[in-house]
Amino acid sequence: MTIHFRLSLKAPNEGQDTFFLWSMVILPIVAECSYVFDAMYYIYNSEIHRYQGLVSTVLVVFTYLRYCSPIESRKTLACFYITLCALNEIGTIGYIVVYYREKDNFHIVVYVGWALLELITTLLLIYYRAYERCQPNFHVESKHLFHFISRLEVILAIFIPFFIHNMSVTLTKHSIAFFLLFEFFSDSYVRFQGFWIKSNLYVFVCTVTVCVASEWVYSSEHNEVFELLSSSFELISGILCNTLIILQFSPYHFKPMSISKIAREGLLFQQLSSGDSQIDLTSVSTADNINSQDTVIDLVPLD
């Protein structure tokens, strides 16, 4: 089956080359495969409280970028999303099996929630991207990809020792991905319109903050309450993140690029016009002062 690529913008640009387009297809698959690997590793090494979830934690951010896959064929794009969903569900079922053996009902419910979220998100992506042919408004370019990688290097320099020295179970964490994504989403805030998408971003930032704070408190205090709180808010953050991704396809939540461009140009023109007017007024005022001074000089009586 031939895979046809297209650029997310109407015309090619330096930010999206062939290598980048292929990477946006390969990286989500690699990320989902790492999730399955970590789940299988945890099944057979659940007694060893190290490294579970490390690989998928590094790569999970790329699973959220699948919305901008450059595959042109509708059927191929739908198959691509279904494949990613199947891999994700396999990994999630693996975690559910482990927690079922341990009779941990809370985490069973959490991972069932992740499974339902993945299924609903996949169906909506197929509808908007494959069926309706909607184009993404959160444009991803090569600079964003390298930005994610560079930020991951800094974060993981702090996070890897947490995996090594932590004696509790540490599975796949989405909080790092959320930290990178809300920074990326906020770059398009000027194009947001409407209450729902703006409030979604603000609540998303708050839930990610609570999730990360609870996670680090649990790592130091080992209080089960903070673990439950972190897992709950991580799932809520996942719901908000995927909701934000889906909302971008609605024309009611995003200003078109042309309108934003016209607004910026209009503002620039207004500023320039205001500057010219001030220069003209200054010139007129200066001329009036000169004329006024000339008049006073002319009225001085001569001896």
Side-chain angles (χ1 to χ4, degrees), residues 272-291:
L272 292 175
S273 299
S274 177
D276 292 341
S277 299
Q278 291 178 357
I279 293 173
D280 292 340
L281 290 174
T282 303
S283 300
V284 171
S285 177
T286 303
D288 291 340
N289 290 334
I290 293 174
N291 293 333

Side-chain angles (χ1 to χ4, degrees), residues 29-40:
I29 296 176
V30 173
E32 294 292 5
C33 289
S34 69
Y35 182 63
V36 176
F37 169 80
D38 282 343
M40 297 301 107

Side-chain angles (χ1 to χ4, degrees), residues 55-233:
V55 179
S56 55
T57 298
V58 175
L59 299 174
V60 70
V61 64
F62 299 113
T63 64
Y64 290 95
L65 299 179
R66 58 186 166 169
Y67 70 86
C68 59
S69 174
I71 299 175
E72 178 66 26
S73 171
R74 293 188 177 188
K75 293 182 180 179
T76 307
L77 184 59
C79 291
F80 174 73
Y81 286 139
I82 293 172
T83 301
L84 294 179
C85 179
L87 290 171
N88 187 279
E89 299 292 21
I90 290 172
T92 302
I93 291 172
Y95 283 129
I96 291 175
V97 169
V98 174
Y99 284 119
Y100 179 77
R101 291 189 315 197
E102 298 176 354
K103 296 182 180 180
D104 189 340
N105 294 327
F106 173 80
H107 283 96
I108 291 175
V109 173
V110 169
Y111 276 94
V112 167
W114 280 110
L116 292 175
L117 175 62
E118 177 67 21
L119 181 61
I120 294 172
T121 303
T122 300
L123 292 175
L124 290 173
L125 284 175
I126 292 174
Y127 174 76
Y128 282 109
R129 293 284 285 110
Y131 181 74
E132 292 291 338
R133 308 296 291 171
C134 295
Q135 302 303 316
N137 283 297
F138 293 125
H139 297 297
V140 182
E141 297 180 356
S142 300
K143 61 180 181 181
H144 299 121
L145 198 61
F146 290 116
H147 176 71
F148 289 147
I149 295 173
S150 63
R151 294 299 295 271
L152 279 173
E153 292 175 354
V154 176
I155 294 173
L156 290 175
I158 304 173
F159 203 76
I160 288 178
F162 172 73
F163 275 89
I164 296 176
H165 299 292
N166 188 24
M167 298 310 296
S168 58
V169 178
T170 305
L171 303 181
T172 304
K173 296 297 181 183
H174 296 250
S175 54
I176 292 179
F178 295 151
F179 175 75
L180 297 174
L181 286 170
F182 75 64
E183 182 182 10
F184 168 67
F185 292 151
S186 63
D187 291 339
S188 302
Y189 186 81
V190 292
R191 295 183 56 209
F192 287 8
Q193 63 178 4
F195 170 78
W196 294 111
I197 191 168
K198 291 182 179 180
S199 60
N200 192 103
L201 180 62
Y202 280 107
V203 178
F204 175 51
V205 172
C206 294
T207 55
V208 172
T209 303
V210 175
C211 173
V212 173
S214 303
E215 186 176 326
W216 283 103
V217 172
Y218 170 70
S219 66
S220 59
E221 300 293 335
H222 298 288
N223 190 327
E224 188 178 355
V225 174
F226 291 103
E227 181 188 10
L228 302 180
L229 192 64
S230 175
S231 299
S232 301
F233 274 92

Side-chain angles (χ1 to χ4, degrees), residues 113-114 117 178 200 234-244:
W114 280 110
L117 175 62
F178 295 151
N200 192 103
E234 188 174 40
L235 177 58
I236 295 172
S237 300
I239 295 172
L240 293 170
C241 181
N242 284 283
T243 301
L244 195 62

